[in-house]
């Protein structure tokens, strides 16, 4: 793919070069434009711009040379996907439990990214000049449910902006140990890296803002089915927040049983813990305005079989109690 070149004749000028270009090229992020300026890819009246904060003279001729995206170095894999919606702009995938979204140590193959590279065959957004699938938000490996994937940079940027502005409604179903006494509530507690368990997150002073809302859908035996709505999207947010208030997600190997980071005591095991082999968390609903045209859009996906089996087992335990 050859480099693309764009020309613009500047009108009244702009206070900053990067701000003017961001308005002219909405598909490119401000950070990406600043990188292009540093690399000498932006010309003002035929000369390379010196800095992103420089002012644009009225009537100037601007040229942006956009290099082709770097290869992602990931091999597409023919992995079946449960696609719940797809058009030329985006798709929504129902991710199964056990599938990693991005490749990492110990998980180089069988990822959602590899499956998307095969499914979309080049029709995916690139981030920071690197050709890669446009995952707008993530789910943990053992959390199932709905994910949005962008097919073009402008769509990815609009969805990312909507996510930051809290205009994408994300709802989850969770099986938790114990029953919140008030039936519903909100958890507003900052989340950051755990001070001693570096692979875990925790509620800590100075962490990033995190807000989770929940309501009890069903009372079970020493457990409950919750509906959870995310207002922010921190790493492991639901799992950390529910554990923080004393209602950990069933089956969670990090926050849900045994010695929990920072708690300093071994929790008494419950019968329900053996009912599911992963955290009982499922992203069941997404609602947002379509990034092209703005039409309201909503999708739901039923939890997978292991979640439903655990829920049914808990109902049986409650009936026989």
């Amino acid at each position: 793919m050859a480099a693309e070149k764009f020309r613009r004749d500047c009108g009244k000028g702009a206070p900053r070069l990067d701000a003017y270009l961001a308005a002219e090229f909405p598909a490119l992020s401000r950070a990406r434009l600043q990188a292009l300026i540093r690399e000498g890819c932006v010309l003002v009246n035929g000369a390379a711009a010196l800095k992103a904060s420089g002012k644009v003279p009225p009537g100037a001729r601007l040229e942006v040379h956009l290099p082709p995206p770097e290869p992602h170095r990931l091999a597409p894999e023919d992995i079946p996907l449960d696609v719940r919606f797809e058009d030329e702009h985006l798709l929504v995938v129902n991710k199964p439990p056990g599938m990693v979204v991005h490749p990492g140590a110990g998980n180089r193959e069988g990822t959602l990214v590899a499956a998307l590279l095969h499914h979309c065959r080049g029709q995916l957004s690139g981030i920071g000049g690197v050709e890669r699938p446009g995952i707008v938000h993530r789910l943990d490996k053992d959390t199932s449910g709905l994910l949005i994937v962008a097919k073009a940079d402008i769509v990815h940027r609009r969805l990312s902006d909507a996510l930051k502005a809290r205009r994408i409604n994300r709802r989850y179903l969770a099986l938790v140990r114990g029953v919140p006494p008030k039936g519903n509530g909100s958890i507003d507690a900052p989340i950051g890296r755990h001070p001693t368990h570096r692979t875990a997150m925790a509620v800590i002073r100075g962490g990033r803002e995190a807000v989770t809302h929940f309501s009890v859908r069903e009372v079970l035996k020493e457990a409950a089915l919750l509906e959870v709505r995310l207002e922010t999207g921190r790493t492991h947010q639901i799992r950390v927040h529910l554990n923080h208030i004393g209602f950990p997600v069933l089956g969670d190997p990090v926050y849900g049983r045994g010695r929990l980071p920072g708690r300093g005591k071994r929790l008494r095991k419950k019968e329900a813990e053996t009912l599911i082999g992963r955290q009982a968390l499922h992203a069941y609903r997404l609602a947002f305005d379509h990034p092209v045209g703005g039409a309201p859009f909503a999708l739901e996906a039923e939890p997978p079989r292991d979640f439903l089996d655990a829920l049914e087992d808990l109902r049986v335990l409650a009936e026989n109690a």
Side-chain angles (χ1 to χ4, degrees):
M1 177 181 175
E4 294 182 73
K5 182 166 70 174
F6 303 92
R7 289 189 176 89
R8 292 287 191 276
D9 290 320
C10 183
K12 297 180 180 179
R16 287 177 59 107
L17 174 60
D18 58 352
Y20 183 84
L21 292 175
E24 289 293 309
F25 302 101
L28 301 177
S29 68
R30 181 77 69 93
R32 177 66 176 138
L33 288 166
Q34 290 170 347
L36 290 172
I37 293 169
R38 289 194 300 270
E39 294 162 5
C41 296
V42 177
L43 307 183
V44 180
N45 290 330
L50 298 178
K51 54 184 180 180
S53 59
K55 292 187 177 181
V56 181
R61 166 65 62 90
L62 302 182
E63 295 182 27
V64 179
H65 296 258
L66 188 62
E70 299 175 11
H72 49 68
R73 298 187 179 89
L74 298 174
E77 295 181 50
D78 187 4
I79 301 171
L81 287 174
D82 182 5
V83 178
R84 296 303 178 96
F85 173 83
E86 183 171 10
D87 63 13
E88 65 269 34
H89 307 294
L90 59 88
L91 64 156
V92 177
V93 176
N94 185 28
K95 186 187 84 67
M99 174 180 271
V100 174
V101 174
H102 287 288
N107 294 289
R108 302 301 303 175
E109 298 179 350
T111 65
L112 180 62
V113 162
L116 287 167
L117 288 170
H118 181 272
H119 177 84
C120 294
R121 302 181 187 278
Q123 295 182 330
L124 290 166
S125 65
I127 301 299
V130 179
E131 183 185 26
R132 75 179 199 187
I135 306 292
V136 177
H137 57 111
R138 300 186 186 187
L139 293 176
D140 296 335
K141 174 183 176 181
D142 288 326
T143 298
S144 55
L146 297 173
L147 274 172
I148 311 173
V149 180
K151 289 186 174 182
D153 288 357
I154 184 62
V155 173
H156 195 138
R157 185 174 177 187
R158 289 175 182 175
L159 287 168
S160 296
D161 289 345
L163 193 65
K164 291 176 183 177
R166 305 178 183 180
R167 297 195 304 269
I168 296 181
N169 188 296
R170 293 170 290 165
R171 293 180 184 264
Y172 293 69
L173 295 175
L175 291 171
V176 301
R177 182 166 48 207
V179 182
K182 294 183 179 180
N184 60 73
S186 297
I187 310 163
D188 186 348
I191 290 177
R193 187 67 59 183
H194 194 283
T196 57
H197 299 264
R198 302 308 295 172
T199 59
M201 309 300 288
V203 171
I204 61 170
R205 182 178 298 178
R208 301 179 69 188
E209 179 194 16
V211 181
T212 305
H213 308 283
F214 67 90
S215 60
V216 176
R217 271 200 172 193
E218 188 173 347
V219 175
L220 304 158
K221 177 178 170 53
E222 298 182 355
L225 173 64
L226 303 186
E227 179 174 333
V228 183
R229 179 172 66 85
L230 281 178
E231 192 167 319
T232 55
R234 308 304 173 208
T235 301
H236 299 176
Q237 178 173 319
I238 293 174
R239 299 161 62 193
V240 171
H241 267 175
L242 291 177
N243 176 60
H244 178 67
I245 64 170
F247 303 101
V249 176
L250 292 178
D252 191 328
V254 178
Y255 308 103
R257 61 186 180 188
R259 188 176 297 279
L260 298 178
R263 295 293 290 272
K265 64 179 181 179
R266 185 164 295 281
L267 298 181
R268 185 164 55 90
K269 288 193 174 183
K270 302 290 186 183
E271 188 176 10
E273 286 184 4
T274 63
L275 299 181
I276 188 167
R278 51 124 182 158
Q279 62 255 19
L281 188 61
H282 174 71
Y284 89 97
R285 178 177 170 83
L286 280 172
F288 55 95
D289 291 340
H290 196 287
V292 179
F297 187 85
L299 273 177
E300 292 189 4
E302 186 180 60
R305 177 47 53 191
D306 64 342
F307 188 109
L308 295 176
D309 286 345
L311 175 58
E312 186 57 33
D313 288 343
L314 287 168
R315 287 170 176 161
V316 172
L317 288 171
E319 290 174 0
N320 296 332

